[in-house]
Amino acid sequence: VLTSTYLGPRKTIYLVEVGKRVLVVGVGKEEMNCLDVITDPGEIEALHQASQQGFPKIFNSIVTKRETVEQEKEAQKIIEESNQLVGDYVEKLKKITKTKKSNDGARDQNK
């Protein structure tokens, strides 16, 4: 156990080092849940160093990182959807341009 913090009556969060990973474990009155698994060596080293500063600071960094990852995923989803919409629009413009050129060419031949 790297460190732990008390959240409320019979509710505690532990950082438990197991091999080359750190488990974030929530413990309640009758249950225990793995909330996250940290495998990044740099992050684990930072947790080792930060564990000497106290758990609240470590916990805050984990929550902040998770929020950042979720925001990045949401941003990536929006980018992908936008790219798809733009791609569809570009394809429609190409078809319109081809049709217009074909119609202009047919008019020129009829003259």
Side-chain angles (χ1 to χ4, degrees):
V1 176
L2 286 175
T3 189
S4 65
T5 192
Y6 170 79
L7 297 176
R10 298 186 185 186
K11 295 189 186 286
T12 305
I13 292 185
Y14 294 91
L15 292 183
V16 181
E17 187 169 20
V18 180
K20 294 182 179 183
R21 61 186 179 215
V22 173
L23 307 177
V24 180
V25 179
V27 179
K29 180 179 177 181
E30 296 181 13
E31 71 275 347
M32 180 183 298
N33 295 301
C34 183
L35 305 173
D36 200 2
V37 179
I38 301 166
T39 57
D40 179 77
E43 191 170 350
I44 291 172
E45 180 58 33
L47 289 173
H48 276 281
Q49 293 173 3
S51 67
Q52 298 169 0
Q53 299 171 355
F55 187 83
K57 193 169 190 177
I58 296 170
F59 185 70
N60 188 39
S61 71
I62 291 170
V63 169
T64 302
K65 181 174 181 176
R66 173 171 259 154
E67 289 172 353
T68 301
V69 168
E70 290 172 1
Q71 289 170 346
E72 288 173 1
K73 286 180 183 177
E74 183 65 25
Q76 186 61 37
K77 181 181 174 186
I78 291 169
I79 290 169
E80 289 171 4
E81 289 172 355
S82 298
N83 287 343
Q84 180 65 43
L85 290 171
V86 169
D88 291 345
Y89 185 70
V90 168
E91 289 302 315
K92 287 178 184 176
L93 287 175
K94 285 180 183 177
K95 287 179 184 176
I96 291 170
T97 302
K98 278 184 179 179
T99 303
K100 187 174 185 311
K101 285 181 181 179
S102 295
N103 289 340
D104 288 347
R107 273 190 239 148
D108 288 343
Q109 287 179 356
N110 290 336
K111 287 184 180 182

